[in-house]
Amino acid sequence: MALGLPSLGTLRARPRDLARWLFWVPSRRILDPSRPDTVRKLWPGWIAWYAVSSAQRARMADEYVRVFGPALDRFWLGRLLADAARVAWRVHLEELLVGRLDPQNVDLHLDLWGREHLDAALARGRGVVLLSAHAGSFLLPVAWLSLKGYACTQYAARGLPPEHLARAYPGVLPTHRWQARIHEVREASEDRLPASFLPAGAPVREMVRRLARNEIVGLAFDGRLGTRWVRTRLMNREALLSPGPYRLAWKTGAALVPVFCSTPPGDRSVAEVGSPILPDDRDWRTLMHTFVSERADPFLLRHPAEYGTWLAHCRLRNGIDDHPFFVDPAPDDRWRAHPALVPPTPGEPQVV
């Protein structure tokens, strides 16, 4: 079982499940991150992937129309969908490299801009909450920073979905052995990095401890983990976002540092580290409003193709719980129970 082939009892899974396993498991051993030329030869594979992903493409198309309006030009939408497929394919290929990256070859795949912003934030001595989006190769900055010597912890959803949800939504949350093996191999690859990964349910105090040691704690601002949600504007729509990262920075005094990824055609992926947002004299609502409206929203509207996969992913799962990412296609109105984020008015007391 050198390739980690699941048992024959799982062969009743759909053909696309086998295709996913072939991509995520055996292919991982073929690509050499020290040979970027061989990886680049596979970049045109997005065309085949695009051709067989009609269901995802349809979800993505509807999401883009909701972002940019019904008057969205059909030609431009087609170009956007094709570019989103190119980005998704590149991101998947680059994730296959993660477990074999080192301090030298990581630079062959990612160009990190704005390192000075991160260093300035760490110079405060109170840690950094590094906030990213599920856009572009968002795992590569974690690899780059940890391989370059930064103490970095990423909070992430790992493992298979909870059993009760998997049973309720078998077509949305597959949990067969093929999928379990994919999760196992992907997470083992991530664990070869010097970074630490905190799974869902890890106590907040562990993140607080690491910030107190002046380390980096990475979170995705658009992640679907959490127990509290607030409604706010994002990409011309109303979204439900977790206030967790901003409350963490507010309580600990850590700097919020944005990092967003893009995937330019024919070149290395790029991670842009933005200037810190400091919690001095700001409550968490101010931090959240500043990050979402001034950092995340402008980037995502400028680079919508980088976000296509995440839009389609969240759209597929938007009926599972009471906190869909965007509320306009929600199948019910449970999301209305969550409060809206109201930007604070200077001089007025704020409710925490």
Side-chain angles (χ1 to χ4, degrees), residues 95-115:
E95 185 181 334
L96 294 177
L97 308 174
V98 165
R100 301 169 67 189
L101 292 171
D102 60 40
Q104 288 72 46
N105 64 30
V106 69
D107 291 314
L108 301 175
H109 305 280
L110 181 72
D111 193 5
L112 188 134
W113 300 349
R115 182 176 182 175

Side-chain angles (χ1 to χ4, degrees), residues 223-239:
R224 311 321 298 155
L225 300 175
T227 56
R228 299 181 60 176
W229 304 91
V230 295
R231 295 150 53 187
T232 189
R233 296 296 296 176
L234 179 70
M235 299 186 79
N236 304 318
R237 301 164 74 183
E238 189 169 27

